[in-house]
Amino acid sequence: MGKKRTYGGIQPGIKWGPFTLRLPGVHAPISWPEAIQGAFLSLATGGALAPLMMNFFDIPFEVAWSILTIQLFWVWSQTILFGDAYAAGWITPALPLVLVFLGGFTPGPEAVQAMIAITLVVSFLFIFFAITGLGEKFNQLVPNALKAGIILGAAIAAFMSEIDRVQTLPFTLITSWVVVLVLMFSIPFGKLPNTKAKLLVMSNAMLVSFIAAGIVGTLTGELTFNIEWGFFIPQFGELLATVSPWGVGMPSWSIILAAIPISIMVYVLVFGDLLVADTLLKEASKVRPDEKVDVNHTRTHWALAIRNLGQMFTGGVLIPLHGPMWTGIQVFIMERYKTGRKAMDSIFSGTMSWYLFALPLGFLMPIIGIIVPLLPVALSLTLLLTGFACAYVAMSMVNDNTTRGYALAIGMLTAFVGPAWGIGAGLVLYFLLIGKNNQTPAQDQSEEHKAS
């Protein structure tokens, strides 16, 4: 049973420096719908990176899966060790950019060193903005319409990736999309009587869509399952020798310099993730005045630096890097959170519970046998919900025809040409079309959204 908080207060925890330690069941009640769904979906979505790392790092599946078991701890640490209210994840929008960069290097140690270079430079940016506090100032200086364009670009990029993916598993993926969108966002479905069956499937929307995809994929022959018994033995020795600085060494200065442009783009995308996260939390706070969510971007920057460097030195480099929020899951948790305290006592009940059982289940061979065929479904659902959330958040940030058109144009440039072009053209077009004194009023920022 989690500790009780005062009405309108911050969820209890143990302060250590700028961070707050919270343990599931101790400092916040366990939310079982999140714990059950998160166990499978965290493994499946994380496992979707295994083929990419096998290809670019030239490693076997056993090493790739070992990397993913360690990354589960570092993902979970964002909530339990550092005290952020985000359902942490990767820097997912950066994935296409990272893959293009790695494609310029020979698979194996050279590509690993290239990924180490990105990790080092991005971590340096996190530390720099944490020390100087300029990250928050940067957030405040960026016009609201440009923020909307950046976020809309992430939505477009997410949807674009799924257009290509659906051709490989059409029946399976479309089934999962329809089920999750109906259960989470359908207005007609929401108007149906709140029976126990309806509330059950709504609380487990991600899991229900996963099961539906598995059934349809099996019936159509798009998916096949190979179940084995036993325990997975992590290949930690080979992992450290092949995908970490301990084994392949630090990259040369030429590789580090080559990684600087893409690392800056990655940070811009992280900034976009934080914008989406703040908007989602702000919307939820309007209907959940019983809890004050402490959002601190300086703390988040420190946590991201520690997570990425910790991953690199203990579990090898990770494609596409640790980020502040798993957008699709954050949306799912926030929608449940907004239904009231009976459904989810604290936002931390959802974010901590999501990863609670993923790590131990990742060592069971039968679970791996079930998860592996569904890896594309998990990644697809993540990107779909990411795109859906980014789209409605971006649209809510603009309120006249000029800024709507501007946001769409910047979003298209960002998705099709790249973040650097989106930002550059966005700044020029902002002054030409809107002007610095005619910015669409930014949403009010409460004190908990400011870095201390």
Side-chain angles (χ1 to χ4, degrees), residues 281-294:
L281 289 170
K282 191 171 185 180
E283 289 179 352
S285 68
K286 295 176 182 177
V287 295
R288 287 294 302 270
D290 59 282
E291 180 176 16
K292 178 182 178 180
V293 179
D294 175 32

Side-chain angles (χ1 to χ4, degrees), residues 125-143:
L125 291 174
F126 288 142
I127 294 171
F128 171 78
F129 281 111
I131 292 174
T132 62
L134 293 177
E136 185 66 22
K137 293 182 176 64
F138 182 54
N139 182 7
Q140 295 171 354
L141 287 173
V142 176

Side-chain angles (χ1 to χ4, degrees), residues 56-292:
F56 285 97
F57 297 161
D58 192 25
I59 54 177
F61 172 80
E62 291 75 14
V63 174
W65 192 263
S66 299
I67 297 172
L68 296 171
T69 58
I70 296 173
Q71 69 93 27
L72 281 170
F73 166 77
W74 287 111
V75 166
W76 199 25
S77 69
Q78 184 88 10
T79 295
I80 62 170
L81 291 183
F82 302 119
D84 272 354
Y86 309 136
W90 316 319
I91 310 175
T92 308
L95 181 57
L97 298 175
V98 171
L99 296 183
V100 170
F101 181 76
L102 294 180
F105 297 87
T106 304
E110 188 178 72
V112 172
Q113 287 192 334
M115 195 67 226
I116 291 174
I118 297 177
T119 305
L120 289 173
V121 177
V122 171
S123 297
F124 170 81
L125 291 174
F126 288 142
I127 294 171
F128 171 78
F129 281 111
I131 292 174
T132 62
L134 293 177
E136 185 66 22
K137 293 182 176 64
F138 182 54
N139 182 7
Q140 295 171 354
L141 287 173
V142 176
N144 210 44
L146 180 55
K147 294 177 184 178
I150 295 171
I151 296 170
L152 195 57
I156 295 169
F159 289 137
M160 284 170 50
S161 69
E162 293 316 292
I163 291 175
D164 295 332
R165 194 187 313 278
V166 74
Q167 300 176 23
T168 60
L169 299 170
F171 293 104
T172 303
L173 294 184
I174 290 176
T175 298
S176 67
W177 297 353
V178 171
V179 172
V180 77
L181 290 177
V182 168
L183 294 181
M184 289 184 62
F185 299 107
S186 171
I187 295 174
F189 181 77
K191 292 180 179 178
L192 295 176
N194 289 326
T195 63
K196 289 184 179 180
K198 176 189 172 184
L199 295 176
L200 179 63
V201 295
M202 287 179 66
S203 298
N204 298 278
M206 295 285 284
L207 183 59
V208 172
S209 65
F210 218 51
I211 293 172
I215 294 172
V216 171
T218 302
L219 293 176
T220 59
E222 292 179 350
L223 300 178
T224 55
F225 296 86
N226 181 24
I227 309 299
E228 298 180 7
W229 298 99
F231 296 94
F232 174 75
I233 307 300
Q235 307 295 307
F236 293 128
E238 188 174 354
L239 179 156
L240 293 175
T242 55
V243 292
S244 78
W246 307 114
V248 301
M250 287 293 185
S252 64
W253 281 108
S254 61
I255 295 180
I256 292 176
L257 291 174
I260 291 176
I262 187 175
S263 299
I264 294 173
M265 295 180 190
V266 169
Y267 180 78
V268 170
L269 292 172
V270 171
F271 170 65
D273 272 353
L274 290 174
L275 295 177
V276 175
D278 284 357
T279 303
L280 291 172
L281 289 170
K282 191 171 185 180
E283 289 179 352
S285 68
K286 295 176 182 177
V287 295
R288 287 294 302 270
D290 59 282
E291 180 176 16
K292 178 182 178 180

Side-chain angles (χ1 to χ4, degrees), residues 357-370:
F357 297 125
L359 190 56
L361 289 181
F363 295 100
L364 301 180
M365 289 301 296
I367 299 297
I368 296 175
I370 295 172

